[in-house]
Amino acid sequence: MLGSDGERSYLVLVQNSAEARATGGIPGALAMLTTNDGLISLSDQSSAGAIEAFRPALDVDPEQERLYTKRLGTQMQNVNLTPHFPTAAETAKRMWEERYSGETVDGVLAMDPVVLAHLLEATGPVDLTDPAVVRAIEGTSLPLSLTKDNVVSTLLSDVYREIADPSAQDAYFAAVAASVFSAFTDGQGDSSQLVQALITSVQEHRLYLWSSDNDEQDIISTTALAGAVTGPNAGGANFGVYFNDGTGAKMDYYASRTVQLVQTCESKGYSRYNVQVTVVNSAPQDAASSLPAYVTGAGVYGVEPGHIRTNYVVYGPAQALVESAQINGTAVPFGAGKHGQRPVGTVTLELAPGETAVIDLEFSRVVQDSLPKLQVTPSVQAVRDVVLPAKTSESCE
């Protein structure tokens, strides 16, 4: 994959956690990474906005299209509405190759700003030197030197306050990602710390990789790098809770969440699991006026400025049933479907600034007796603060 048998090109999706998508965030900034005989370099930089919408939409897996609609194949910004990264990656490859005729994408890599923070902890501060970027942020408070402490807040919050033009925001985002990645590939910092930064990023499901080479992808598919919700790593009592923004803006920076599994044991060897998601909108009370319109969405998509609307997509173990959904103890409508053999329930929640809500989705007829596993969409929060220890009722003793 590093070009030992010839040059390879990889599309890099920099996922913006301020606008949630199932695998982490909207892929606003894009870059092309080239490998050749072990040497790694970043070449083209672009943005999802530069890749115009596809009408008609590109074909995607019909089962996932039923869950996530044709938007999966319509815009680069929506390829990762599905938490199944191989589908998102392959769709992104096709979109890039359609728009940039003659270019071949050999694989797709995705990361979020927390990955950059992990890398910066190993490399130390990185300076932005691109003259165009320096000019773009002249007169703002945005830093020219990025550190592990300022990169996340800079990219997910401060840039929207300081730069009004979305294309300039994406350019700054891409420049930061490119500079940090260049420091990494140039060997800046301690090598053992760099390796640990990558390991941590994979463990937190913030770093994904897909290869168009089937033999390579077969190997990747057995690892957490694959970001797959079906296949070798999806067996057992496996649950997933994924967040997709419905605000059409950058309000997820202000969303605070915890997720917990509660198991109840029933007769005939079945278990029942309640997946409980607690959500807080921590935006300021005056968010409608104090935050930029680009952050609140200004009501363009029918969401009152300052509110956060999110679609919560919850996967259960294979062959189980998604039975019911509640918000704050009251039954609510929910979408139900399947991905592979896994049941999928979807609930939409909207919160005003300062509001808290609890979502409960009930899964019945769980036959797996292994210890439950829970994966969530990585966000600004540390994953360890989001995923709470599972609970087991007395009926299982």
Side-chain angles (χ1 to χ4, degrees):
M1 295 188 74
L2 292 178
S4 61
D5 56 355
E7 186 174 281
R8 295 281 195 95
S9 295
Y10 298 93
L11 177 61
V12 180
L13 311 179
V14 186
Q15 301 186 118
N16 186 336
S17 312
E19 186 171 348
R21 292 293 186 272
T23 63
I26 189 171
L30 312 174
M32 190 59 75
L33 181 152
T34 301
T35 64
N36 194 358
D37 198 23
L39 296 176
I40 304 173
S41 60
L42 277 172
S43 51
D44 296 342
Q45 293 182 35
S46 185
S47 69
I51 298 180
E52 297 176 356
F54 290 81
R55 308 204 187 275
L58 300 183
D59 291 334
V60 294
D61 171 35
E63 190 174 49
Q64 292 176 74
E65 185 179 282
R66 284 192 290 273
L67 288 168
Y68 304 104
T69 76
K70 285 186 176 294
R71 289 190 299 159
L72 274 179
T74 301
Q75 292 175 296
M76 182 69 79
Q77 294 94 324
N78 290 324
V79 296
N80 56 344
L81 287 171
T82 174
H84 192 61
F85 184 70
T87 296
E90 198 238 344
T91 307
K93 163 188 164 69
R94 290 162 57 205
M95 287 184 173
W96 184 276
E97 291 177 345
E98 283 274 344
R99 291 294 184 247
Y100 298 100
S101 179
E103 294 194 18
T104 299
V105 173
D106 297 302
V108 179
L109 182 73
M111 66 179 72
D112 70 5
V114 177
V115 175
L116 302 181
H118 291 331
L119 291 174
L120 283 166
E121 188 167 6
T123 65
V126 169
D127 295 331
L128 300 179
T129 57
D130 185 329
V133 174
V134 173
R135 286 194 300 272
I137 66 173
E138 189 175 354
T140 74
S141 64
L142 293 176
L144 280 171
S145 180
L146 279 302
T147 71
K148 66 181 179 65
D149 297 316
N150 70 11
V151 67
V152 173
S153 59
T154 295
L155 293 181
L156 300 184
S157 178
D158 299 345
V159 69
Y160 305 118
R161 182 187 66 243
E162 300 290 344
I163 300 178
D165 179 11
S167 62
Q169 295 165 359
D170 286 339
Y172 182 75
F173 213 111
V176 171
S179 297
V180 175
F181 200 79
S182 293
F184 163 68
T185 56
D186 290 345
Q188 183 174 321
D190 180 83
S191 58
S192 62
Q193 287 184 327
L194 286 168
V195 171
Q196 186 56 53
L198 295 177
I199 292 172
T200 300
S201 298
V202 173
Q203 290 173 337
E204 295 177 348
H205 301 286
R206 299 183 185 277
L207 184 63
Y208 296 118
L209 177 64
W210 172 84
S211 173
S212 62
D213 182 287
N214 290 333
D215 291 337
E216 293 170 357
Q217 183 57 25
D218 285 344
I219 296 171
I220 294 169
S221 68
T222 64
T223 73
L225 266 174
V229 299
T230 62
N233 292 327
N238 206 313
F239 294 83
V241 180
Y242 306 105
F243 320 140
N244 277 321
D245 172 72
T247 314
K250 300 295 186 287
M251 287 297 296
D252 274 294
Y253 184 76
Y254 299 97
S256 176
R257 304 175 176 98
T258 60
V259 183
Q260 187 171 43
L261 299 176
V262 181
Q263 179 188 14
T264 303
C265 295
E266 301 178 327
S267 61
K268 300 182 180 180
Y270 292 124
S271 288
R272 177 181 294 270
Y273 278 87
N274 180 50
V275 182
Q276 188 169 89
V277 186
T278 302
V279 191
V280 181
N281 180 350
S282 62
Q285 290 293 330
D286 63 349
S289 57
S290 64
L291 296 179
Y294 189 74
V295 173
T296 66
V300 171
Y301 294 97
V303 179
E304 188 173 334
H307 288 214
I308 301 175
R309 180 187 291 169
T310 310
N311 298 313
Y312 291 88
V313 184
V314 184
Y315 279 59
Q319 302 178 27
L321 301 175
V322 55
E323 193 169 275
S324 64
Q326 296 182 338
I327 294 179
N328 294 333
T330 300
V332 295
F334 65 98
K338 278 196 170 183
H339 186 177
Q341 296 298 312
R342 300 184 67 180
V344 182
T346 303
V347 174
T348 300
L349 174 68
E350 183 174 331
L351 293 178
E355 284 189 339
T356 299
V358 178
I359 303 170
D360 291 285
L361 268 87
E362 197 85 9
F363 288 83
S364 62
R365 298 182 67 85
V366 177
V367 299
Q368 294 86 351
D369 59 5
S370 57
L371 288 174
K373 292 188 252 179
L374 174 61
Q375 183 176 333
V376 300
T377 294
S379 64
V380 180
Q381 295 173 264
V383 174
R384 64 179 177 273
D385 295 334
V386 178
V387 178
L388 302 182
K391 286 184 178 180
T392 303
S393 71
E394 294 180 358
S395 62
C396 298
E397 295 180 354

